[in-house]
Amino acid sequence: MGRYLQSCLSVVTGAFGGYGFIAEVMGRETLTRNLQERTLDMAFALDPIKADEFYCKQVSSLTLVLVSTENKNLSDIFASRYIYVDWGTRFSSEHGERHPKIPAPYLRTSTARIALDFILEKGGSAYLPESLVEPHLTSGELFRVGDVTPWPRPVYLSYRKASTSIEAIEQVERLLQGDD
């Protein structure tokens, strides 16, 4: 999601002169609290933030691929240095359905960049955004796990329905959907 958000940030900051921006990684609970407390105008998340006072809409998607530093099949991938990236609540439950009875991961992280850097340095495997790993697949540093299909994940934009910044937020939404 990091590369998607970096791209969004570039588009948005280019379109909005005179505004200040903050880009941070936060957990779902923190995002929800900050939206409720009005210390955050909008949030991007991989799970919808559901509350009556919020508007939440899918604005994009990212495709996760299971990659490894070795050319392995799925049956071998979880035995050694599998890095679990927390892609949200829905991902967690679907991951459990897709891969029941696997050993505990070698490492857990909420950041794709940490997982990527770790496996490139130490070896291992992880579900990572295709756009992030594509250069490493091309160079041969990483391999797709052959018998695993890509896993599309929705990206949601959430904000308060009664936000004082509603016009700017809606303009951001249009920019990200390519309507402007």
Side-chain angles (χ1 to χ4, degrees), residues 7-172:
S7 173
C8 292
L9 192 59
S10 179
V11 169
V12 171
T13 56
F16 285 86
Y19 281 82
F21 299 91
I22 299 173
E24 295 181 79
V25 176
M26 299 178 190
R28 184 176 174 176
E29 296 79 19
T30 304
L31 287 174
T32 302
R33 184 176 60 251
N34 287 354
L35 286 169
Q36 289 170 330
E37 294 172 353
R38 296 176 174 88
T39 58
L40 187 64
D41 289 318
M42 68 181 104
F44 292 93
L46 294 171
D47 287 319
I49 298 175
K50 296 181 181 178
D52 289 341
E53 70 265 29
F54 297 148
Y55 176 78
C56 182
K57 181 178 183 182
Q58 182 178 341
V59 292
S60 188
S61 64
L62 61 90
T63 301
L64 300 178
V65 292
L66 184 56
V67 295
S68 176
T69 52
E70 297 178 36
N71 198 0
K72 294 182 172 183
N73 289 321
L74 181 61
S75 59
D76 303 321
I77 216 69
F78 297 107
S80 174
R81 294 191 190 214
Y82 173 66
I83 312 307
Y84 179 89
V85 182
D86 183 357
W87 294 110
T89 306
R90 184 179 293 161
F91 174 83
S92 179
S93 72
E94 290 177 11
H95 186 276
E97 292 170 9
R98 278 185 177 215
H99 309 296
K101 300 179 184 177
I102 62 170
Y106 186 75
L107 173 70
R108 286 181 176 266
T109 182
S110 61
T111 308
R113 189 81 230 179
I114 289 173
L116 175 62
D117 290 348
F118 184 89
I119 65 174
L120 288 173
E121 181 181 334
K122 303 283 188 183
S125 59
Y127 276 103
L128 295 170
E130 190 171 39
S131 60
L132 180 64
V133 299
E134 195 61 47
H136 303 285
L137 293 168
T138 302
S139 72
E141 294 172 281
L142 293 176
F143 302 90
R144 283 184 198 238
V145 177
D147 45 355
V148 178
T149 59
W151 197 347
R153 306 303 308 158
V155 176
Y156 297 94
L157 170 65
S158 298
Y159 55 90
R160 294 182 56 79
K161 291 176 181 175
S163 174
T164 57
S165 304
I166 198 79
E167 287 180 22
I169 292 168
E170 289 174 345
Q171 186 176 352
V172 167

